[in-house]
Amino acid sequence: MAEQTNMQVARPFLKWAGGKRQLIPILEKNLPEELLAGQIENYYEPFLGSGALFFYLSTKYSFKNIFLSDTNIDLILSYNVIKNNVDDLIKELEFIQNQYFALEKEERKKYFYSVRLDYNIESNNINLSKYNKSWIKRTSKLIFLNKTCFNGLFRLNLKGEFNTPFGDYKNPKIYDPENLKNVSTTLQNVKIEQKDFCEISKGFLPRSFVYFDPPYRPISNSSNFTSYSKNSFTDADQIELSKIYTVLNNNGGKLMLSNSDPKNTNKNDTFFDDLYSDYTIKRIPAKRFINSKADKRGNINELLIVNY
């Protein structure tokens, strides 16, 4: 659809491993001409995460239909809460922030681990089939943990428990009420679902742009961070994703996919070059911001794979 100017500029409300906020200028330069020409009606993002590209596109373009999805239950829950009950969520976050800021350092640490424990205990009782007000408190805990945990790293162990430790920040900005309201406005009339990426091909609409941002393939043993949900994303999943990519290509979709570049550490690793040999593979500079060691953060190549 035609380019537009959105007065409500929404930004990601969570810090997420692999978030694309820093790469927006590069992604923008590689958008399909059909989008720029107003010929795209629908937008799909099946690995939603922080939604950086979605929020950026929403400020510039108007789509007839927007489909956002992810396998992470709590992520989808939080988007739906902000869409439907943002004012109640803001009140809950204000309450948490006031409690937290009134505490001294050691008490803050105890508070963090208490919230984390409650959050994990509740994980077995999440029901996405019917929206309910209990989601509001859970979303407030997710946002609080995200803003106060070490390096903003959302990490789950094999049991599906959030296990990132406390982050020692003096005055963390736990929530931004204005941005949350802008996010809520942006999410109106957007379909938000918890589902696997394979389901995107069902009922896929013509004149669509799809952005795939899956959990990255590790480029070293130390970077083996693929659990944004309790299930890891394996090479077999990457291969399955490439098949879905081809299905949507054959259905006329305009496609963009991000992933790690194995050649950063092994010049002979042609895993993605082989998988996407029929498409355009670009190597782009990026920064690695989430790493337990500061000296391991810095410039690194990523892949951008497009079918146009």
Side-chain angles (χ1 to χ4, degrees):
M1 302 295 284
E3 186 169 328
Q4 68 169 9
T5 300
N6 190 338
M7 296 300 292
Q8 305 295 327
V9 179
R11 304 180 309 279
F13 59 93
L14 292 172
K15 185 176 181 182
W16 207 253
K20 290 299 177 292
R21 195 167 179 180
Q22 301 296 328
L23 283 181
I24 290 299
I26 294 176
L27 298 181
E28 181 181 33
K29 292 178 181 178
N30 287 280
L31 293 173
E33 292 182 0
E34 289 81 358
L35 177 61
L36 306 179
Q39 298 169 3
I40 297 293
E41 293 184 347
N42 313 294
Y43 178 69
Y44 292 82
E45 192 167 334
F47 297 94
L48 180 54
S50 68
L53 184 60
F54 157 68
F55 286 120
Y56 172 75
L57 293 177
S58 70
T59 68
K60 299 197 69 175
Y61 303 96
S62 175
F63 297 99
K64 185 176 180 180
N65 299 287
I66 297 175
F67 303 93
L68 307 178
S69 58
D70 201 285
T71 59
N72 187 295
I73 293 176
D74 281 311
L75 185 68
I76 295 304
L77 184 150
S78 66
Y79 275 88
N80 277 302
V81 164
I82 293 174
K83 175 182 176 179
N84 295 299
N85 284 98
V86 69
D87 290 333
D88 290 338
L89 175 63
I90 288 172
K91 290 177 183 177
E92 194 67 34
L93 285 167
E94 182 181 20
F95 175 76
I96 290 176
Q97 180 170 276
N98 288 340
Q99 279 193 321
Y100 187 73
F101 282 173
L103 301 174
E104 298 297 329
K105 179 179 176 179
E106 285 304 311
E107 292 301 315
R108 286 186 179 188
K109 188 174 182 178
K110 291 179 182 178
Y111 186 94
F112 171 88
Y113 284 111
S114 175
V115 172
R116 195 182 77 169
L117 178 62
D118 288 344
Y119 179 85
N120 287 330
I121 291 174
E122 294 168 356
S123 294
N124 296 322
N125 301 314
I126 303 172
N127 181 0
L128 273 175
S129 63
K130 186 176 181 181
Y131 187 90
N132 62 81
K133 292 270 180 108
S134 68
W135 290 12
I136 298 170
K137 285 185 178 293
R138 183 157 184 85
T139 298
S140 68
K141 292 175 184 177
L142 171 62
I143 293 175
F144 167 76
L145 291 171
N146 181 256
K147 301 299 183 181
T148 57
C149 73
F150 179 73
N151 212 24
L153 175 62
F154 184 93
R155 184 183 65 196
L156 303 178
N157 61 23
L158 293 177
K159 296 180 181 179
E161 298 171 334
F162 183 89
N163 68 346
T164 311
F166 175 69
D168 186 13
Y169 306 116
K170 186 175 182 180
N171 290 301
K173 189 170 185 178
I174 293 173
Y175 76 111
D176 180 342
E178 181 180 356
N179 185 56
L180 287 173
K181 290 180 180 180
N182 290 343
V183 169
S184 181
T185 298
T186 302
L187 292 176
Q188 301 306 307
N189 303 315
V190 172
K191 191 165 187 179
I192 310 164
E193 295 182 290
Q194 185 218 7
K195 62 182 183 181
D196 188 85
F197 68 89
C198 293
E199 297 183 53
I200 190 176
S201 58
K202 299 176 183 178
F204 185 71
L205 298 173
R207 299 167 68 92
S208 294
F209 174 49
V210 184
Y211 178 52
F212 295 100
D213 186 23
Y216 278 17
R217 184 174 186 251
I219 59 175
S220 68
N221 291 333
S222 62
S223 65
N224 189 15
F225 178 75
T226 56
S227 292
Y228 306 101
S229 63
K230 62 182 176 181
N231 301 313
S232 63
F233 204 81
T234 65
D235 277 2
D237 294 314
Q238 300 285 4
I239 293 169
E240 187 63 30
L241 176 56
S242 72
K243 294 177 181 178
I244 295 296
Y245 192 102
T246 294
V247 168
L248 300 187
N249 173 71
N250 294 339
N251 287 339
K254 298 300 174 183
L255 315 173
M256 175 186 285
L257 182 145
S258 295
N259 217 309
S260 60
D261 183 3
K263 293 188 176 182
N264 282 300
T265 55
N266 182 356
K267 293 182 179 180
N268 296 318
D269 191 334
T270 60
F271 181 81
F272 288 117
D273 296 84
D274 295 337
L275 276 184
Y276 295 96
S277 59
D278 293 334
Y279 307 104
T280 301
I281 301 176
K282 303 181 181 183
R283 286 178 162 82
I284 61 174
K287 283 186 178 293
R288 178 184 291 165
F289 288 96
I290 294 184
N291 195 296
S292 59
K293 298 180 180 180
D295 61 354
K296 297 296 184 182
R297 303 172 199 156
N299 293 324
I300 194 170
N301 281 340
E302 291 190 4
L303 298 180
L304 195 63
I305 302 168
V306 299
N307 69 338
Y308 43 85

